[in-house]
Amino acid sequence: MVKNPILDGFNYLLDGLEEFVDLIIGDDYDNNEPNDLGINMTFNNGIPDKSVLFSTKVLDEFRKDVGRFRAETGGILASTGSEKFIDKCCFDTHSNNTSNEFYYDVEAMSVVFRNWKAAGYITNGIYHSHPKGCTEPSYHDISSSLLHIDFFGLDYFYLPIFQPDPRGLYKMYFYIVRKIENNLEVTLSYVLEAMKEGYRYVPFRSWKQTYSIDQLRRYRELIDKADAKHSEKNNAEKTAETLSVNSDSLEENIAVTTCEGNADPEVVENTDIKGDMKDMIPTNEYFTKVSALYPEKVLDKVIVCIGTGGARSFLENCARSGFRNYILMDADIVSPSNIATQGVFISEMGKKKVDVIRDRIMDINPEARVICVDRFLDDYMSDEEFVRYMSLFPGKKPTDYLILGCTDNFEAQKRSSLLALKYGNPYLAAMMYEGGAAAEIIFVYPGVTESCPRCLLRDRFEKYENGFVNDVDSSACPIFATERMNSLKGYIALMLMMYGEDPKNPLSRELLDVKDRNFVEIRLTPYLKDSKLGIGLFDRVFSDVSRYTFFDETLWIPQHPDRPEYGEEPCKLCGGTGDLTMLQDKWKTEDTRFIRF
């Protein structure tokens, strides 16, 4: 770890009480009325709670470090007297940071803790910056706050989150974590902006969340076990007792970033449009023209996408529809060959695919909550780990998650379908054929559709079970083929998420009309029959109307479970019973990595 040359030690460690600033706005004011600066400000239901203040010296120190450095830097806070007045900060020059994680150095900070305690100070907060647009604390941030509350014997903890600027003109989102009986209540008290001269409150949306302490403790136990395993494997001295902030890193090669709500992305730069004006626009105004399409309870469902490269436009359009909860799982980075096939940009090369898609989602829907899992879905990931990511969106029922298999790896596709069946989640998978000649989409909804993925793709399953190796990639595939597939995938995703949610909406009943036609194929060349694939179904179906067809047709192909009455042996996966819900009990104690047919 390299020491930051900007700071020369903790030279303000034992400074006395400084004068404090009242943070510009007086105690009494009316929403949307001019304040004492003569500025007309809209607070979007967020009324600053100024019961806890910072000294001007601390605010100025933030300009020098966390406010101007790239995201995921920070340090610790303390009060020398009243806990309502924060007049000490210590920037961690030894912290171990990545582009989306901040770990303060426990050894270095422990020295500061002891010195502050000897001086009678109260260590009561951690400050750190988040990536652009991520202004809410992650679940891991909250769990780390609980560790500190326990360690310092407090019933509260301060958790300011920064959106930094190279000039030090930061925005600080000041959160207070309070322990109330068996829960932690987290409240956004105010948003403070550092200007060229001075500080001011800026408009913000009120935000408050409650977290179960028992659930947070269980979460930390899982983190500790995974971190201990990682430490043992790497012969490291530090274990999971290291107190970390904004890192949902659960095990080796996992990097999870949660960007949650109240985002403030700098969409327009170098113009006369100020940040305040962007803050004044409620997020729901972006989606007014589609607000009548989907109920709020549907928009709050979770889209779990396994393999994100080709699914990028699908995910972006989900964000444009107002969907706000995502889990993106992919360990790939953007490579030069992706420019022509996956809708990425040259400026994104070398970056993680999940990160660049997260940034796009946040740029479309500032209130989106995106968990980025920098891993492949393979045998190194247990079912327990997979479902742990889903549990970061608590209070959901199984049908509130839509799992999408969007990889070009058969084993990952198969595993994603097994996980959906085990946990009772709707499932959708898409696959592009060689050269973009055709595309297929399958979908499963336990309790509604009868055919499982193996019933739908029996021949393919059997080939891979007998050692088949696929050598087809996206070569010679037009980008328009991928976009066509993503468009239909979007409609089917809406059908699955809307099922039974709004009787007045046609999307709510579409699934029942195609529950036995859950294999969909798109012809993307008029010469599909004569191609290497030799698929002649479209020519047969449209033989009587060939004058009116050419290509780009979609077939919803009738399906049935594999069982003797249909002339097939019972399906080795589901048994051909037609009741896919029984797999939730059958596999309750099984890990899908070890299920064999």
Side-chain angles (χ1 to χ4, degrees):
M1 291 171 284
V2 180
K3 185 173 180 179
N4 193 310
I6 294 178
L7 293 181
D8 186 18
F10 305 128
N11 56 11
Y12 44 84
L13 181 62
L14 300 177
D15 289 347
L17 184 65
E18 302 90 4
E19 289 185 40
F20 67 93
V21 63
D22 192 18
L23 305 182
I24 302 303
I25 299 177
D27 289 327
D28 298 316
Y29 65 92
D30 294 324
N31 249 8
N32 306 324
E33 291 298 318
N35 56 32
D36 55 352
L37 294 178
I39 300 175
N40 194 22
M41 304 178 71
T42 300
F43 278 82
N44 294 329
N45 299 321
I47 301 175
D49 175 7
K50 297 181 293 180
S51 60
V52 180
L53 300 176
F54 288 78
S55 72
T56 53
K57 183 173 182 179
V58 168
L59 296 177
D60 291 344
E61 289 291 341
F62 291 157
R63 290 179 183 268
K64 301 175 185 178
D65 43 60
V66 67
R68 63 186 299 187
F69 294 162
R70 66 178 177 83
E72 304 303 347
T73 60
I76 57 176
L77 302 170
S79 300
T80 62
S82 170
E83 63 186 30
K84 300 293 185 181
F85 181 54
I86 303 167
D87 56 345
K88 281 292 173 188
C89 66
C90 182
F91 185 70
D92 186 5
T93 59
H94 297 276
S95 61
N96 182 18
N97 308 321
T98 69
S99 61
N100 52 26
E101 298 172 341
F102 164 63
Y103 288 88
Y104 74 64
D105 186 84
V106 175
E107 184 177 353
M109 291 299 99
S110 293
V111 174
V112 180
F113 296 158
R114 289 193 293 268
N115 290 340
W116 281 356
K117 182 177 181 180
Y121 305 161
I122 307 169
T123 303
N124 53 15
I126 293 176
Y127 65 100
H128 69 292
S129 55
H130 272 195
K132 183 178 178 180
C134 301
T135 60
E136 289 184 11
S138 70
Y139 194 80
H140 197 93
D141 290 337
I142 307 305
S143 69
S144 294
S145 296
L146 177 59
L147 286 181
H148 288 79
I149 286 173
D150 291 342
F151 183 80
F152 292 113
L154 302 173
D155 58 5
Y156 72 97
F157 202 69
Y158 301 138
L159 193 63
I161 291 173
F162 288 74
Q163 295 283 273
D165 181 285
R167 301 164 295 174
L169 307 181
Y170 59 80
K171 279 188 179 177
M172 179 181 70
Y173 293 74
F174 183 55
Y175 293 89
I176 300 179
V177 181
R178 295 182 177 89
K179 186 176 181 180
I180 302 176
E181 296 181 348
N182 295 321
N183 296 304
L184 290 188
E185 183 181 275
V186 187
T187 306
L188 176 59
S189 293
Y190 51 77
V191 179
L192 184 71
E193 182 180 29
M195 303 178 294
K196 289 183 179 180
E197 295 183 4
Y199 305 91
R200 66 172 178 176
Y201 288 119
V202 295
F204 71 104
R205 301 175 187 89
S206 58
W207 189 96
K208 181 168 70 173
Q209 295 285 346
T210 301
Y211 301 83
S212 165
I213 288 178
D214 289 339
Q215 290 180 3
L216 288 166
R217 294 196 195 286
R218 285 195 295 271
Y219 172 77
R220 293 304 310 192
E221 289 173 1
L222 293 171
I223 298 292
D224 292 347
K225 290 178 182 178
D227 283 349
K229 179 180 178 181
H230 173 66
S231 298
E232 181 180 357
K233 183 174 182 178
N234 289 278
N235 197 27
E237 294 180 356
K238 295 175 184 176
T239 62
E241 283 71 36
T242 59
L243 303 176
S244 59
V245 179
N246 196 38
S247 166
D248 287 312
S249 180
L250 303 182
E251 196 173 323
E252 182 183 15
N253 297 328
I254 311 174
V256 184
T257 299
T258 308
C259 293
E260 301 183 340
N262 273 358
D264 181 27
E266 298 293 334
V267 179
V268 183
E269 298 180 353
N270 300 321
T271 72
D272 292 330
I273 298 179
K274 305 299 182 183
D276 288 350
M277 293 184 65
K278 294 197 292 292
D279 284 334
M280 291 180 187
I281 302 174
T283 299
N284 59 10
E285 289 190 19
Y286 301 131
F287 307 106
T288 53
K289 289 191 175 181
V290 295
S291 60
L293 284 173
Y294 321 112
E296 273 293 307
K297 58 184 176 180
V298 173
L299 296 178
D300 201 42
K301 293 188 176 185
V302 183
I303 297 171
V304 184
C305 190
I306 300 164
T308 59
R312 176 166 178 161
S313 65
F314 163 81
L315 293 165
E316 291 180 5
N317 287 331
C318 286
R320 294 186 190 282
S321 300
F323 291 94
R324 48 183 170 263
N325 297 327
Y326 301 85
I327 299 174
L328 310 179
M329 185 174 295
D330 198 328
D332 262 346
I333 62 172
V334 178
S335 64
S337 64
N338 298 145
I339 300 297
T341 59
Q342 295 186 0
V344 298
F345 300 92
I346 293 173
S347 60
E348 296 171 340
M349 284 195 298
K351 298 179 180 179
K352 297 174 183 177
K353 289 181 179 179
V354 290
D355 287 349
V356 298
I357 294 175
R358 173 204 62 203
D359 292 345
R360 294 285 291 192
I361 289 174
M362 300 298 296
D363 205 356
I364 295 166
N365 185 348
E367 292 188 352
R369 299 181 177 184
V370 185
I371 295 175
C372 295
V373 184
D374 182 25
R375 294 181 69 183
F376 293 119
L377 180 60
D378 54 24
D379 284 348
Y380 291 102
M381 182 182 294
S382 68
D383 289 5
E384 181 182 348
E385 288 174 307
F386 180 85
V387 79
R388 194 189 312 162
Y389 296 120
M390 301 208 305
S391 69
L392 295 176
F393 294 94
K396 306 292 184 187
K397 59 183 183 295
T399 53
D400 287 339
Y401 299 89
L402 173 63
I403 296 181
L404 297 110
C406 299
T407 79
D408 56 4
N409 180 287
F410 175 79
E411 290 301 324
Q413 293 286 82
K414 180 180 75 173
R415 178 83 184 286
S416 64
S417 69
L418 299 184
L419 286 164
L421 291 170
K422 176 179 177 177
Y423 295 114
N425 313 123
Y427 178 72
L428 185 158
M431 185 68 69
M432 183 65 63
Y433 293 173
E434 185 175 4
E440 72 178 28
I441 299 174
I442 67 168
F443 56 93
V444 173
Y445 199 113
V448 180
T449 59
E450 294 185 348
S451 300
C452 76
R454 197 178 190 283
C455 295
L456 301 172
L457 304 171
R458 180 182 68 256
D459 291 345
R460 191 175 308 163
F461 269 73
E462 290 179 348
K463 285 182 179 179
Y464 278 94
E465 289 162 5
N466 287 285
F468 174 76
V469 178
N470 181 35
D471 61 356
V472 176
D473 58 20
S474 59
S475 299
C477 179
I479 187 67
F480 307 107
T482 303
E483 294 305 292
R484 174 67 175 88
M485 179 178 70
N486 278 336
S487 178
L488 182 57
K489 186 162 61 179
Y491 274 106
I492 296 176
L494 291 176
M495 178 179 73
L496 295 172
M497 289 189 287
M498 282 290 298
Y499 172 65
E501 297 290 1
D502 182 2
K504 298 180 181 179
N505 191 316
L507 287 168
S508 185
R509 61 176 184 270
E510 286 181 357
L511 178 61
L512 292 178
D513 293 331
V514 292
K515 65 179 184 178
D516 60 351
R517 289 182 282 165
N518 51 333
F519 182 97
V520 185
E521 209 161 36
I522 312 170
R523 179 166 67 167
L524 296 171
T525 173
Y527 314 114
L528 183 60
K529 180 181 178 182
D530 300 323
S531 71
K532 181 179 179 180
L533 297 170
I535 298 175
L537 180 60
F538 289 85
D539 295 270
R540 295 196 299 272
V541 170
F542 297 113
S543 60
D544 293 336
V545 291
S546 58
R547 177 179 174 83
Y548 301 97
T549 62
F550 190 48
F551 74 98
D552 194 40
E553 306 91 353
T554 300
L555 293 180
W556 300 72
I557 303 171
Q559 302 295 312
H560 55 70
D562 284 350
R563 59 185 184 221
E565 71 177 89
Y566 297 114
E568 305 289 349
E569 293 293 325
C571 176
K572 295 180 180 179
L573 192 162
C574 70
T577 65
D579 180 12
L580 301 182
T581 61
M582 59 88 179
L583 294 174
Q584 296 175 52
D585 289 329
K586 182 179 179 181
W587 293 345
K588 189 173 183 179
T589 59
E590 299 286 338
D591 190 306
T592 56
R593 292 177 295 176
F594 310 120
I595 292 176
R596 298 291 181 265
F597 307 128

